[in-house]
């Protein structure tokens, strides 16, 4: 079990939420940082862990929630869902994502100093996006995307106390239900088993989600790339 902080140092995000007007679809493609003055760096808590129920079999889980805000006076007209924000309108925006991952992991090669494994599971992301203006214009949307995820892990002991851990997860979807898109998550970290049951870790993480939603009630696209590092304490 590991608990620590995820320091997001750089983001790159775009979004669009459409409305239907007759035969036309209206929606403005927005850059989170440039068009909405969104935050590009932040620190959030993160929880990871696993339960090994057999020598080569275990269940992994992960949770973190990212809350981002933005403020700007827009220099152009923006259509977001059913709301239209004219040029010169002050806009307060929020973009929150909560991610839960649960996977089954099979270690096809496991020795005291090395472990390689494959994983299959479910990645659930809740996306909450809102925009509002002091002029009384507002719009909000929530999307929950339960998506499959496939992964590969390689853990290697440089010494009995120092471990290097790498993990790569991804999925691709092509028009399954109302979602299509891609997800990838790469982590590399180094851990020190300082005490018998407690240690410390430092890692780098890159997370990318590209999601398009098409249904009878909503249509839009969300793209987010997060880069940062993690500092955590773990218990065994």
């Amino acid at each position: 079990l590991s608990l620590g902080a995820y320091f997001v140092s750089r983001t790159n995000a775009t979004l669009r939420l459409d409305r239907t007007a007759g035969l036309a679809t209206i929606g403005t493609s927005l850059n989170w940082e440039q068009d909405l003055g969104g935050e590009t760096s932040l620190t959030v808590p993160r929880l990871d862990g696993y339960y090994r129920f057999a020598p080569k079999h275990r269940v992994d889980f992960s949770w973190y929630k990212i809350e981002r805000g933005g403020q700007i006076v827009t220099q152009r007209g923006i259509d977001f869902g059913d709301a239209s924000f004219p040029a010169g309108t002050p806009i307060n925006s929020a973009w929150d994502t909560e991610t839960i991952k649960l996977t089954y992991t099979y270690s096809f090669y496991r020795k005291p100093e090395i472990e390689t494994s494959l994983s299959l599971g479910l990645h659930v992301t809740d996306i909450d996006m809102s925009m509002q203006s002091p002029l009384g214009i507002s719009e909000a949307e929530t999307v929950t995307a339960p998506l499959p995820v496939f992964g590969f892990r390689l853990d290697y002991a440089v010494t009995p106390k120092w471990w290097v851990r790498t993990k790569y997860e991804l999925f691709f979807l092509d028009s399954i239900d109302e979602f299509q898109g891609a997800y990838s998550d790469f982590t590399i970290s180094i851990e020190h088993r300082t005490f018998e049951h407690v240690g410390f870790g430092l890692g780098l993480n890159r997370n990318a989600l590209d999601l398009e939603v098409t249904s009878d009630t909503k249509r839009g696209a969300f793209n987010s790339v997060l880069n940062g590092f993690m500092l955590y304490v773990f218990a065994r």
Side-chain angles (χ1 to χ4, degrees):
L1 183 68
S2 69
L3 176 63
Y6 182 23
F7 301 91
V8 180
S9 58
R10 184 163 56 90
T11 70
N12 183 16
T14 60
L15 64 149
R16 192 189 78 249
L17 186 64
D18 301 335
R19 70 175 180 270
T20 302
L23 298 177
T25 300
I26 301 172
T28 305
S29 294
L30 300 169
N31 181 282
W32 168 250
E33 296 82 10
Q34 297 177 7
D35 294 323
L36 298 175
E39 292 178 278
T40 58
S41 60
L42 59 158
T43 301
V44 299
R46 178 162 177 158
L47 178 67
D48 296 273
Y50 68 86
Y51 172 66
R52 192 184 298 277
F53 57 90
K56 290 191 174 184
H57 305 270
R58 73 188 207 188
V59 175
D60 291 74
F61 64 89
S62 180
W63 171 88
Y64 56 92
K65 184 175 183 179
I66 296 176
E67 298 179 333
R68 292 177 276 182
Q71 291 183 328
I72 201 169
V73 176
T74 180
Q75 301 302 305
R76 59 169 176 151
I78 292 176
D79 289 296
F80 183 75
D82 293 326
S84 295
F85 299 85
T89 303
I91 298 176
N92 297 319
S93 56
W95 187 347
D96 301 338
T97 57
E98 183 174 12
T99 299
I100 300 174
K101 287 187 287 185
L102 184 66
T103 60
Y104 159 74
T105 301
Y106 171 71
S107 300
F108 58 88
Y109 185 80
R110 184 172 183 239
K111 297 292 183 180
E113 70 282 357
I114 190 171
E115 182 176 7
T116 56
S117 55
L118 297 173
S119 61
L120 172 65
L122 190 64
H123 168 287
V124 180
T125 295
D126 286 330
I127 302 173
D128 294 313
M129 181 67 209
S130 65
M131 294 171 55
Q132 58 183 355
S133 167
L135 302 180
I137 309 171
S138 65
E139 179 63 296
E141 186 60 73
T142 299
V143 175
T144 299
L147 303 167
V149 63
F150 308 93
F152 171 78
R153 299 182 64 103
L154 172 62
D155 299 333
Y156 178 70
V158 182
T159 71
K161 283 186 174 291
W162 288 98
W163 280 76
V164 175
R165 303 189 184 276
T166 61
K167 179 177 67 173
Y168 183 63
E169 297 177 332
L170 76 161
F171 74 76
F172 298 93
L173 282 180
D174 185 13
S175 299
I176 296 179
D177 292 329
E178 60 186 54
F179 303 106
Q180 69 178 52
Y183 167 82
S184 65
D185 190 325
F186 175 74
T187 302
I188 182 169
S189 60
I190 185 167
E191 293 183 355
H192 184 260
R193 295 182 176 179
T194 312
F195 307 105
E196 182 179 1
H197 297 293
V198 178
F200 301 89
L202 176 66
L204 299 175
N205 178 254
R206 184 183 188 275
N207 181 292
L209 176 64
D210 186 2
L211 184 66
E212 186 167 343
V213 183
T214 304
S215 69
D216 296 335
T217 59
K218 66 188 72 173
R219 179 186 295 269
F222 304 89
N223 177 277
S224 177
V225 179
L226 304 175
N227 293 276
F229 68 95
M230 303 178 298
L231 181 64
Y232 57 92
V233 58
F234 65 88
R236 296 172 57 84

